[in-house]
Amino acid sequence: MSVEVIAVGGYQEIGKNMTAVKVGADVVIFDMGLDINKLKLRVNQDISRLHSLDLIEDGIIPDDTLMRDVDGKVKAIVCTHGHLDHIGAISKLAHRYDAPIIATQYTLKLIEQIINEEKKFKVNNSLQLLNPGEKYQISPYLVLEFIRSTHSIPQSVIATLHTPEGIVIYANDFKFDNHQKISSPPDYNRFLELGRKGVLTLITGSINIDNKSQVKNYSEIVAKMILDDILKNSLRDEIGLIVATFASNIERIQSIVDIARDSGRKIFLLGKNMDKYCSLAVDMDLLDLPKKSKIYGNPNDVDKALAKVEYKRDNYLIITDGHQGEHTSLLPRIANGKTPFNIQKHDVVVLSAPVIPTQNNIANRNLMERRLLGCGARIYPNAHVSGHACREDYRDFIQMLNPAHIIPTQGNLRMLSAFAELAEEEGYKMGKDVHVLRNGQAQVFDGGV
Amino acid sequence: MSVEVIAVGGYQEIGKNMTAVKVGADVVIFDMGLDINKLKLRVNQDISRLHSLDLIEDGIIPDDTLMRDVDGKVKAIVCTHGHLDHIGAISKLAHRYDAPIIATQYTLKLIEQIINEEKKFKVNNSLQLLNPGEKYQISPYLVLEFIRSTHSIPQSVIATLHTPEGIVIYANDFKFDNHQKISSPPDYNRFLELGRKGVLTLITGSINIDNKSQVKNYSEIVAKMILDDILKNSLRDEIGLIVATFASNIERIQSIVDIARDSGRKIFLLGKNMDKYCSLAVDMDLLDLPKKSKIYGNPNDVDKALAKVEYKRDNYLIITDGHQGEHTSLLPRIANGKTPFNIQKHDVVVLSAPVIPTQNNIANRNLMERRLLGCGARIYPNAHVSGHACREDYRDFIQMLNPAHIIPTQGNLRMLSAFAELAEEEGYKMGKDVHVLRNGQAQVFDGGV
Amino acid sequence: MSVEVIAVGGYQEIGKNMTAVKVGADVVIFDMGLDINKLKLRVNQDISRLHSLDLIEDGIIPDDTLMRDVDGKVKAIVCTHGHLDHIGAISKLAHRYDAPIIATQYTLKLIEQIINEEKKFKVNNSLQLLNPGEKYQISPYLVLEFIRSTHSIPQSVIATLHTPEGIVIYANDFKFDNHQKISSPPDYNRFLELGRKGVLTLITGSINIDNKSQVKNYSEIVAKMILDDILKNSLRDEIGLIVATFASNIERIQSIVDIARDSGRKIFLLGKNMDKYCSLAVDMDLLDLPKKSKIYGNPNDVDKALAKVEYKRDNYLIITDGHQGEHTSLLPRIANGKTPFNIQKHDVVVLSAPVIPTQNNIANRNLMERRLLGCGARIYPNAHVSGHACREDYRDFIQMLNPAHIIPTQGNLRMLSAFAELAEEEGYKMGKDVHVLRNGQAQVFDGGV
Amino acid sequence: MSVEVIAVGGYQEIGKNMTAVKVGADVVIFDMGLDINKLKLRVNQDISRLHSLDLIEDGIIPDDTLMRDVDGKVKAIVCTHGHLDHIGAISKLAHRYDAPIIATQYTLKLIEQIINEEKKFKVNNSLQLLNPGEKYQISPYLVLEFIRSTHSIPQSVIATLHTPEGIVIYANDFKFDNHQKISSPPDYNRFLELGRKGVLTLITGSINIDNKSQVKNYSEIVAKMILDDILKNSLRDEIGLIVATFASNIERIQSIVDIARDSGRKIFLLGKNMDKYCSLAVDMDLLDLPKKSKIYGNPNDVDKALAKVEYKRDNYLIITDGHQGEHTSLLPRIANGKTPFNIQKHDVVVLSAPVIPTQNNIANRNLMERRLLGCGARIYPNAHVSGHACREDYRDFIQMLNPAHIIPTQGNLRMLSAFAELAEEEGYKMGKDVHVLRNGQAQVFDGGV
């Protein structure tokens, strides 16, 4: 029985992740995501009424039309976590396959929302919960297992497919963080066990692989430390105070909230995304907010909240996103004076998020920062740690799993090549047992481990 | 009575710090340091037999010959901490002045060593201890006060000169760190008090002022976190393990030691500098080592220790310096195979120090890293936090002190200019109340605060 | 009689140049320009109806309100060339002064256009022609002289003010180019003569001063060489062909035209700016176009011309601007498919202009390039040489003029500081005879040369 | 009959080029070069007595031991030009093969020198001259053809192997320069003819492929222009004058000589390399020096010449190499004051060469520049154009040849990947018809064109 790894999306870019693994006649799809940078190039970002073929042509979702030529049947669609570059194309592509969508609870709820917002297609696939540490029989000889992992969103997993020819591991987007409050550390022991059992191939993300200044990921607890030092004085001063971060980074938001808990300031989580990700996290007991905190997603509610902050700015802490400076987000709108809250001299804005380095983001962010500075704000621009493993973490991972083959994914050619070079340092050889694929190509393993 | 700030050294470079403050006819000198980068350009780095005039011509020590034209008498030489760019020229210049050298205990001991090693000049100035928080009457109307501060060496202070015309603050090399184990946090309350009393001028270092990616300094506790994550596995594995850092960074060394304390590995602190700074710190109860730890400075002892490590590498943790890759240091010598200890595949080398970015250092460091990698080592290159305040820390400092004038020091023209721009954001104006001086120039304050 | 140099604008930025020189009771103003980058931050770029005080507050034009406190009378407004950062504020500020505007012919014509387009203020100052090499008596003891110079627009001059206290030279924006077709080389002999006579102060631009990779400016003939190699094949191939450059860079446009002259392709110069600068240059016999060439500025005409090109693309060469990617310019509009001409596979776009490196421009340009590439175009992005002197040119200039004092202008503090460092290499000392001013500050020379 | 391209060296680095092409049972080797950067890491750079196996282990020469497993006979060793990264390993490896060495005249002479200097091995291979435009029958069905090309050394060629299965083109190190004095433009017509005949595979160098600021190579005539502008004044002034460039860049040296020809200055070409490459070029009538010019390679002669220059510095122009700052080269030795000629204030040093950007070179060059500046020299650091094609040149080349397959060589994985991306823009697909090989891997073509 041959195993075939088919690179559908994410092998020439960061984003629109989708990989199919075919074992005999059964196919399992891992992730169905958006290319968010490409999406942003469209003026109108609402894609709920667009057809998948148009989105494929624009490069926004994976080109899964090649699946027609795959001689097999899709048995499951597996999503490893709830970021849009991993689940955002579900609403456009999943209905073509008669297969359940399998994910953890937090991820499933986000998938449900996406399906509900979709206006073009009717997505009827069943949603199947699988918890970290649990297994699921996909077909007579295929078993899926979710392994506990850490990332920058709750309930992230590393997916493992047990096949007759050996184990296939799909680990796209993870970090090794031993100090998160919401998520337990990754299940290293299971990695070691699988390594001993025999891993046929590791399919692994490549983000940060060519970061030379940082070779091991920092824990979220480092971000909390840094934020604590920044916020300690600011919480006490008679100033306005805004912290911007990713709405889905519940661990980070928990850190901010915990730092501010005893400050006397009331916490407002503002904006559509904050509402989407945080309300869900609160409902699922993942995020623990002080009693008087409020989450507002509706624009009118947000404006009312901001009016209160304007009236007595040192009574509140605003948490929002918009750190990329997109014109329609709340923080840029505040910077542009388009909300009831006006930045004053000495107000503090903490950007607990990086600039995702596209030229557009850099320009938007820069413009926003200049406007905030123009109003007199103090900006702390980089109170952040990455959610992705770094070079030496990947090396640790390879050593733990000892896979027969490695297929790097989620990166452009330079990044995949850099991963191949790391693998060569660990004794692999490009073209022999580490494989750089392009979208649309496949790697076939005939022998097994 | 006029107050005059005379820029002797460190106003066109990082290093060879020396500032004179003349109040009426009395002069106080702050720091007498080396330009270490210039020193390294000399092949023979032993300067103990060289004449000060030659060293002045080579730009290695401050050109204090201009002091002849200063119409006043030097009453005190004040050193704020024990780094060579602040005390290294004492042995060449101090004997010209009939004045005591005033410093904290750890700094004084290091000054004593420098004076003892000097072979050209006889330095007989009295050494006067002043503890943080204490005052010292320098002349009928001049009082020196040491304020508790934090930096990357123990017992660092910010010096304050109380004059009839207002307070002069000399704060060259500091960070605001609230989480050090050995040093208590800076005395912020005293800064605020002085600010209310009336600061005539703040003379402040400028390092990190143009660092755009980091605007607030990270605490040493962040370095400890990062090191802890890196070392946790490495301490357990059957590999050789070396951590390199600045020998004078006792706080960092304490962190490393504490992380390794219960690992079962015996700690060797190796090299002349480790002996110099750490033995002193142990003697003064500043550094707390596990009982079985050893410090070896003598080359023979170092070699014997390394032979032991070679025999049973997973029984030891080596702490040394040499992170800049200078050919004569221990770590580069290990990398070049010139010691009894040979790096093997998977040995770990943690560089808990930055590259001080001269072209020479970059090349040396790069060469060393490539050789270590060539032997199969894993390198963690940047497990470090800076010992210097950043842009927003400087802003906090200005807001606390509210000085009438600001004179940035220790930096090239670009850095001093960048500090002036920060001051302008806080309401100062270059040429009016923030002053960019060149070595040899003076700023006179006639009116007082 | 004292000489005072007043920094009105351009001493903290690139742009909005304006310097006043007061000799006794007479004042001469040099340049009145816009800050084009600040202007672009406004959504609505038409400033013809705006009040000068608003534009001053937004930092778009120099804050000349300080001139009220200057105890003297403005006798002349001197503009050294026709770029907007030197003449663009004439329409907003000149009417406040009862003084003629003095410039060369090409510059005067552009000033006239600006005055005519102004809708808020009535500018009645007389326009006074002065040719390179000629002198003009401004007041009993002040004589203005224009010295031939080269830059990236025709009829650029270096202005010289002969005063009883010595010569003041205002040289803001120039390069030393000995190979231009339209402009003769700078009058080096006159520089040497003035140097021998005695220059009190040189006021000089600072652009390129910190360019480390290029220390001497390249001639326009180098740009022509490079363009020739790029265009030779492209002119012959059956493809569409666009060259984008600054509309005011008549020398460059002449080069492009000369390269294409015998290719059989008809030349279209398209866009409002091309019409503005090139039609004027043709009228003044500065620009020599082949007979069948056409200049179209009116949008309808431009569209008609583009429709012709669409029909038979290899019959035409389009010259336009828009190389910065501003959304309303022609080239970005072509890239976005908003004109009758559609880029096809293999069409060539030559960007004979740099990106003026603001974040906004970088993002716009990048977006435009990606869209052009998306259509299949080949892009040559950097077929350009700078119009500004470089470090060693400035050194040559200082050596020729041997001024008693130097005042760098047009740059942020870093650039002015870098110029001061260059001057220090030539024996000057900052604060003594090289002066870094901030907008609003003045430097007084009491003694004369 | 299958065609196999074997990547021996240069597929993971810039340097040590060696590619074998096996057609049926006949093998042709293209280039046998050194990795000069690796060579420099050895303290003792004289490799004439070293064994090839040691040099292979150190990565200095290609690992041709894999040729033992190649089932075929080497029929020819073909060298495309005389740079050491293409011919430098001949003396260590060629004797293992019973095959002639085929090259152009200038290349052959340099190979002869290398063979004569070798002290470890006896190299008896016959040397076979082949001129550009000529063909040579290697075996019954293999014909080698040299096509005229341009690079930064005379008599560079692109090698073409006519096989029964189609044409194999080996084009490693070339630029498309239509304006050289010594070398005629590349034979574009022949490229087009071959393209029409059917190219099986293009093996092409990748240098400059990821240079984003320059996408089309500049002609040598641009370097001459730039040098002319720099040297015009310097030749006239009463100063010392040194131009440093690559000794093998005869075209560049010709330009410098031609610029200085009528200046009255006598030209000294100094140093061992200048002697080696330029004396040969003069003998072969490739380089045309003014009558009174002298070439000195012997250290004593060099010192005598420098003593003359010291005596009357404005009578001479020194041309030498050493622009990388290697301690033993002449220019760094002058900078260090170790020769009879001492740099004085205002002497001019033109570096008509880039820094080959290894950390070591950057540091050496920087040190040299600082020392020259310390002596008062003016430095023009970058009066240079590259000798290698750029991105759009490579695209032109692909379009001319229209090869069925492309194999990029001479670059690390990033560069080869970047070339693959360019090829994909032209319709190729990585893994299908553009192949990224690692040293030691082979690509087999079974079908022919």
Side-chain angles (χ1 to χ4, degrees), chain C residues 93-105:
Chain C
L93 300 178
H95 65 282
R96 307 189 195 185
Y97 306 98
D98 177 20
I101 298 166
I102 309 175
T104 57
Q105 187 72 16

Side-chain angles (χ1 to χ4, degrees), chain A residues 31-48:
Chain A
D31 289 342
M32 279 186 174
L34 297 175
D35 184 329
I36 295 161
N37 293 325
K38 284 251 173 72
L39 177 59
K40 281 190 187 167
L41 290 183
R42 278 187 168 257
V43 177
N44 175 5
Q45 292 186 23
D46 179 12
I47 59 168
S48 64

Side-chain angles (χ1 to χ4, degrees), chain B residues 417-418 424 430 438 441, chain C residues 414 417-418 424 430 438 441:
Chain B
S417 296
E424 291 200 340
M430 200 177 147
R438 308 293 279 162
Q441 293 185 335
Chain C
R414 310 294 173 95
S417 297
E424 291 201 340
M430 199 176 149
R438 309 292 281 162
Q441 293 185 334

Side-chain angles (χ1 to χ4, degrees), chain A residues 18-159:
Chain A
M18 181 168 170
T19 298
V21 177
K22 176 171 172 291
V23 185
D26 294 347
V27 178
V28 179
I29 289 173
F30 294 95
D31 289 342
M32 279 186 174
L34 297 175
D35 184 329
I36 295 161
N37 293 325
K38 284 251 173 72
L39 177 59
K40 281 190 187 167
L41 290 183
R42 278 187 168 257
V43 177
N44 175 5
Q45 292 186 23
D46 179 12
I47 59 168
S48 64
R49 292 179 192 284
L50 296 181
H51 198 284
S52 48
L53 291 179
D54 295 325
L55 291 164
I56 286 171
E57 196 181 323
D58 285 356
I60 293 172
I61 63 172
D63 181 1
D64 77 335
T65 57
L66 63 90
M67 294 298 290
R68 291 174 206 147
D69 304 325
V70 174
D71 182 27
K73 186 178 176 314
V74 173
K75 296 285 187 175
I77 298 167
V78 178
C79 291
T80 54
H81 63 280
H83 283 148
L84 286 174
D85 51 340
H86 294 254
I87 66 169
I90 286 274
S91 56
K92 301 296 178 185
L93 300 178
H95 65 282
R96 307 190 194 185
Y97 306 98
D98 176 20
I101 298 166
I102 309 174
T104 57
Q105 185 73 15
Y106 191 71
T107 309
L108 275 189
K109 292 285 185 188
L110 293 169
I111 290 171
E112 235 175 285
Q113 289 184 15
I114 286 172
I115 290 174
N116 291 339
E117 285 161 9
E118 174 65 21
K119 300 196 179 88
K120 182 81 190 169
F121 298 109
K122 187 115 199 81
V123 181
N124 285 322
N125 307 54
S126 75
L127 301 184
Q128 178 69 44
L129 170 65
L130 188 65
N131 290 311
E134 293 180 356
K135 293 181 182 169
Y136 179 91
Q137 187 89 29
I138 285 178
S139 76
Y141 48 84
L142 289 185
V143 172
L144 174 71
E145 175 186 0
F146 274 1
I147 305 178
R148 208 173 59 228
S149 177
T150 44
H151 184 38
S152 50
I153 188 168
Q155 300 186 348
S156 244
V157 294
I158 286 174

Side-chain angles (χ1 to χ4, degrees), chain B residues 355-371:
Chain B
V355 189
I356 297 171
T358 67
Q359 301 288 14
N360 231 33
N361 288 343
I362 293 169
N364 283 337
R365 168 87 167 238
N366 178 273
L367 201 60
M368 179 180 77
E369 289 193 22
R370 273 190 296 170
R371 282 175 176 151

Side-chain angles (χ1 to χ4, degrees), chain D residues 78-99:
Chain D
V78 178
C79 292
T80 54
H81 63 281
H83 282 147
L84 285 176
D85 52 340
H86 294 254
I87 65 170
I90 286 274
S91 54
K92 302 295 177 186
L93 301 178
H95 64 282
R96 308 190 194 184
Y97 306 97
D98 176 19

